[in-house]
Amino acid sequence: CSGIFLIDPLTGIGELLVGSGDVIDGVTLNNADYASINDSGDLIFMGGYGENPDFYTALCHMDLGTGETQILVSSSDVIDDLILRDVMDSGVTDSGDVVFYGQSSDNLGGVFHLNLITGESRLLLANGETFDGRILEFAAWLAINDSGDIVFFGGADGIMGCFKTSLTGGPDEILVAMGDIVGGTEIFFAHMPGNNDLGDLVFAGASMTGSGIFFVEGAAPPNPEAMLE
């Protein structure tokens, strides 16, 4: 069985929360992947279901307090007139704002936003839009902090690296890209970013000295007035 596991850092004891064969809203999951969690006990993850060629994905929610699960968004749902084909990696804030990568049936991909409290959803950033003076080509591997700052692996006009956008209308920025110097070494590849409320950035990367996890203090400073309620 493959799925999402929870580990207690104090005891080291883990448990399987949800996995293949589990049923959510009448749908039997083939797999569960791309998990994120907030301090309120909201677990967000991608669930896959169906059989090829009719294989679908869904953005799912589990309340860790009650164990209740639900499908938030799935293949064929419509957001801002776009029919979703796939939903993938996601992030969630303590206030219940969820961001996720989605791709529509006409191959338009982008970053979507959904609020757990209101249920409202929207397309936040789409491939083909202008991003930091360049044309965004793709976005993946998202993370979000409680200021609403979103970091992701992106590409724009041939530049790939760790990008930043915001729920609160802050500036779009390329934080780290190929050729940048981090820790005294040139970065060849930077992806899978994460950020905290202090604006620090971590990412998986490769450099002259090898591959690993890199840390950039204050790479994405938050707007002090933008903390989400």
Side-chain angles (χ1 to χ4, degrees):
C1 176
S2 63
I4 307 298
F5 292 79
L6 177 69
I7 298 178
D8 186 325
L10 298 179
T11 65
I13 298 175
E15 62 175 311
L16 176 66
L17 296 176
V18 60
S20 54
D22 286 346
V23 178
I24 300 178
D25 290 348
V27 171
T28 301
L29 299 183
N30 293 334
N31 64 289
D33 207 344
Y34 297 109
S36 57
I37 189 174
N38 64 14
D39 291 341
S40 303
D42 295 304
L43 172 69
I44 307 296
F45 61 95
M46 185 208 77
Y49 60 98
E51 301 293 340
N52 285 328
D54 299 318
F55 185 78
Y56 307 100
T57 55
L59 189 71
C60 304
H61 170 244
M62 171 181 280
D63 184 326
L64 294 183
T66 65
E68 295 180 354
T69 57
Q70 62 175 319
I71 291 177
L72 301 173
V73 179
S74 63
S75 302
S76 77
D77 283 353
V78 178
I79 298 178
D80 284 352
D81 297 325
L82 295 175
I83 302 174
L84 292 180
R85 187 184 67 194
D86 291 304
V87 297
M88 295 183 67
D89 41 308
S90 63
V92 58
T93 69
D94 291 341
S95 57
D97 285 295
V98 177
V99 291
F100 64 95
Y101 172 77
Q103 192 168 35
S104 69
S105 57
D106 56 1
N107 292 321
L108 178 65
V111 179
F112 291 81
H113 168 227
L114 181 147
N115 186 275
L116 290 177
I117 298 173
T118 66
E120 296 178 349
S121 58
R122 59 175 170 144
L123 175 64
L124 183 67
L125 181 66
N127 298 347
E129 291 185 7
T130 300
F131 186 97
D132 198 13
R134 298 171 174 83
I135 301 302
L136 185 69
E137 296 166 346
F138 68 88
W141 286 312
L142 308 171
I144 186 172
N145 65 16
D146 287 323
S147 296
D149 296 317
I150 304 160
V151 293
F152 60 93
F153 174 50
D157 289 349
I159 296 175
M160 292 191 299
C162 300
F163 292 15
K164 172 193 170 186
T165 190
S166 176
L167 289 182
T168 57
D172 296 330
E173 300 177 66
I174 297 176
L175 301 177
V176 177
M178 292 183 295
D180 287 350
I181 304 298
V182 176
T185 185
E186 182 178 351
I187 297 297
F188 294 157
F189 192 62
H191 66 154
M192 295 185 176
N195 60 333
N196 62 17
D197 294 334
L198 300 176
D200 300 326
L201 174 74
V202 293
F203 63 92
S207 72
M208 287 286 293
T209 58
S211 61
I213 304 300
F214 292 81
F215 171 78
V216 184
E217 183 177 3
N223 180 348
E225 300 177 355
M227 186 66 72
L228 298 175
E229 298 295 335

